[in-house]
């Protein structure tokens, strides 16, 4: 049987339309898949920053004693060299004053003393260091922590000339707890023995006492602060 040209044309058109209708099912759009993958990527950078902040160790009055007790157990070094803007000198730390020794070494290794100053100089008496009038020092204290150390005055050490000792905190402090960030060095000949029993000697200058004397001779203004800043450039554990 012969198919008329008009009927043949209709059949071809129907087949073409049917083929075009099936093609979208074989090629689903990719845009939605890409959007889902992008949304599912975890925010790795913020999470890593949060982990670092959570793991940061800060000293406080609850953990400081245990921390320095353990720190002292593994501590073999007992000397620290302070390089100042007027020269350098070396301190030997006493082994039987473990908390104060460990504290001074720890702060030296943390770089706390770097760029602090000898902020108090009393002629023929002491030079006192570990403080500064800049914001960086306050920031370093905040990152290391807020804590005090117990006095340790009964180990037989006295405030001879060249002795390094730790001042007590200015806070309400009937037990003379020590302020860990500052220290003073006695320059009095032969010593300042009226300080015994009130402050904790934890070392002595064994080299460079002439530099300590030079710092003690700088001109000072109100509050015993030197007219020209005397910087501790670096504290190195030897």
């Amino acid at each position: 049987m012969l198919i008329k040209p008009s009927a043949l044309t209709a059949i071809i058109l129907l087949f073409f339309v049917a083929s075009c209708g099936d093609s979208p099912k074989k090629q689903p759009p990719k845009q939605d898949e890409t959007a889902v993958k992008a949304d599912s990527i975890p925010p790795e950078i913020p999470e890593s920053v949060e982990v670092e902040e959570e793991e940061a160790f800060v000293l406080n009055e609850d953990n400081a004693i245990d921390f320095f007790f353990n720190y002292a157990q593994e501590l073999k070094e007992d000397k620290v060299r302070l390089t100042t803007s007027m020269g350098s000198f070396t301190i030997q730390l006493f082994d039987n004053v473990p908390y104060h020794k460990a504290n001074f070494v720890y702060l030296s290794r943390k770089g706390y003393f770097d760029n602090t100053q000898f902020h108090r100089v009393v002629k023929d008496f002491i030079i006192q260091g570990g403080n500064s009038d800049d914001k960086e020092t306050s920031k370093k204290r905040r990152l290391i922590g807020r804590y005090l150390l117990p006095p340790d005055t009964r180990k037989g050490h006295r405030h001879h000339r060249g002795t390094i000792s730790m001042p007590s905190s200015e806070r309400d402090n009937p037990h003379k707890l020590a302020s860990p960030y500052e220290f003073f060095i006695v320059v009095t000949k032969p010593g300042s023995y009226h300080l015994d029993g009130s402050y904790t000697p934890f070392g002595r200058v064994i080299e460079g006492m002439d530099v300590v004397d030079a710092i003690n001779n700088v001109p000072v203004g109100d509050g015993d602060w030197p007219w020209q800043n005397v910087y501790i450039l670096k504290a190195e554990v030897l």
Side-chain angles (χ1 to χ4, degrees), residues 105-166:
V105 170
Y106 179 73
L107 293 181
S108 296
R109 286 176 170 165
K110 295 287 285 186
Y112 168 75
F113 294 115
D114 300 354
N115 299 314
T116 59
Q117 301 169 20
F118 283 100
H119 58 282
R120 183 169 180 245
V121 172
V122 183
K123 180 72 172 172
D124 296 325
F125 179 37
I126 64 167
I127 62 172
Q128 186 167 333
N131 205 338
S132 179
D133 54 359
D134 60 29
K135 294 181 179 179
E136 186 63 27
T137 298
S138 298
K139 178 181 177 182
K140 286 192 285 188
R141 289 191 181 195
R142 185 172 65 254
L143 292 175
I144 293 171
R146 182 180 176 85
Y147 61 101
L148 298 174
L149 293 177
D152 198 354
T153 61
R154 299 182 180 180
K155 297 297 177 63
H157 303 298
R158 304 194 66 192
H159 287 83
H160 300 298
R161 170 174 159 82
T163 295
I164 180 171
S165 187
M166 198 170 288

Side-chain angles (χ1 to χ4, degrees), residues 5-196:
S6 58
L8 181 60
T9 301
I11 291 171
I12 293 172
L13 287 173
L14 287 172
F15 179 79
F16 179 76
V17 169
S19 299
C20 290
D22 291 338
S23 60
K25 296 179 182 179
K26 297 180 182 179
Q27 300 293 331
K30 296 183 179 181
Q31 183 175 359
D32 291 342
E33 183 182 358
T34 303
V36 170
K37 287 183 178 180
D39 291 343
S40 65
I41 297 175
E44 295 181 357
I45 295 177
E47 285 185 358
S48 65
V49 171
E50 290 178 4
V51 169
E52 290 177 0
E53 290 179 352
E54 290 174 0
E55 293 180 352
F57 176 71
V58 177
L59 285 165
N60 56 51
E61 294 184 6
D62 293 326
N63 64 22
I65 298 302
D66 288 340
F67 174 79
F68 286 121
F69 175 82
N70 294 324
Y71 194 85
Q73 301 304 304
E74 302 178 0
L75 188 59
K76 300 188 183 334
E77 297 82 0
D78 67 350
K79 296 181 182 67
V80 177
R81 178 188 294 121
L82 296 182
T83 300
T84 79
S85 53
M86 296 183 64
S88 64
F89 58 90
T90 302
I91 296 164
Q92 185 170 36
L93 305 172
F94 300 143
D95 291 329
N96 64 346
V97 192
Y99 296 115
H100 294 70
K101 173 185 176 182
N103 174 77
F104 197 76
V105 170
Y106 179 73
L107 293 181
S108 296
R109 286 176 170 165
K110 295 287 285 186
Y112 168 75
F113 294 115
D114 300 354
N115 299 314
T116 59
Q117 301 169 20
F118 283 100
H119 58 282
R120 183 169 180 245
V121 172
V122 183
K123 180 72 172 172
D124 296 325
F125 179 37
I126 64 167
I127 62 172
Q128 186 167 333
N131 205 338
S132 179
D133 54 359
D134 60 29
K135 294 181 179 179
E136 186 63 27
T137 298
S138 298
K139 178 181 177 182
K140 286 192 285 188
R141 289 191 181 195
R142 185 172 65 254
L143 292 175
I144 293 171
R146 182 180 176 85
Y147 61 101
L148 298 174
L149 293 177
D152 198 354
T153 61
R154 299 182 180 180
K155 297 297 177 63
H157 303 298
R158 304 194 66 192
H159 287 83
H160 300 298
R161 170 174 159 82
T163 295
I164 180 171
S165 187
M166 198 170 288
S168 59
S169 170
E170 293 181 357
R171 286 189 266 168
D172 183 20
N173 189 13
H175 301 295
K176 294 285 188 180
L177 299 179
S179 175
Y181 292 109
E182 296 185 18
F183 62 90
F184 64 87
I185 300 173
V186 176
V187 299
T188 314
K189 298 177 183 180
S192 290
Y193 303 118
H194 66 286
L195 302 175
D196 296 349

